[in-house]
Amino acid sequence: MPEPTPAPDRPWTFLSNHGHVLVALSRDPSARLRDIADTVGITERATQAIVRDLEEGGYVTKVKVGRRNEYRLHPHRRLRHPAESDTPIKALLGIFD
């Protein structure tokens, strides 16, 4: 039996944009925010705000490398929602390796 496809008038995904940005950073920690925005399908400004949220939450640290930024993830930090708060983000990121 074929998998049902989402209705085009109500598209949704299982991950939030924060989750998509986190996955993109885990795949390429030296990616430009412009490229992450293109990958996720959001604006560069939204990507900047999400990265700032991730930094403030302690999930990511921005490190200057020459003229570029590199992002170091902290995989032992726990997911934020109370239902998953005992799960480290490395478990989520491991799905996408």
Side-chain angles (χ1 to χ4, degrees):
M1 186 168 179
E3 296 259 341
T5 56
D9 57 333
R10 292 196 48 171
W12 59 275
T13 65
F14 282 101
L15 294 180
S16 68
N17 288 339
H18 281 67
H20 289 294
V21 169
L22 189 65
V23 168
L25 287 173
S26 75
R27 289 180 171 162
D28 186 0
S30 61
R32 297 177 308 167
L33 293 183
R34 176 181 317 151
D35 297 330
I36 293 171
D38 288 344
T39 299
V40 175
I42 58 178
T43 65
E44 189 173 348
R45 187 177 199 94
T47 304
Q48 290 170 342
I50 289 170
V51 169
R52 187 172 36 254
D53 288 345
L54 294 172
E55 285 181 278
E56 290 172 359
Y59 293 91
V60 173
T61 300
K62 180 171 43 177
V63 178
K64 197 77 164 161
V65 178
R67 294 176 42 193
R68 305 230 3 214
N69 291 324
E70 206 168 273
Y71 299 90
R72 306 248 166 88
L73 275 60
H74 304 288
H76 297 297
R77 295 282 301 169
R78 307 260 178 217
L79 294 171
R80 292 175 50 98
H81 193 279
E84 295 92 25
S85 63
D86 60 338
T87 304
I89 63 167
K90 70 178 178 178
L92 172 67
L93 296 174
I95 295 170
F96 301 100
D97 284 341

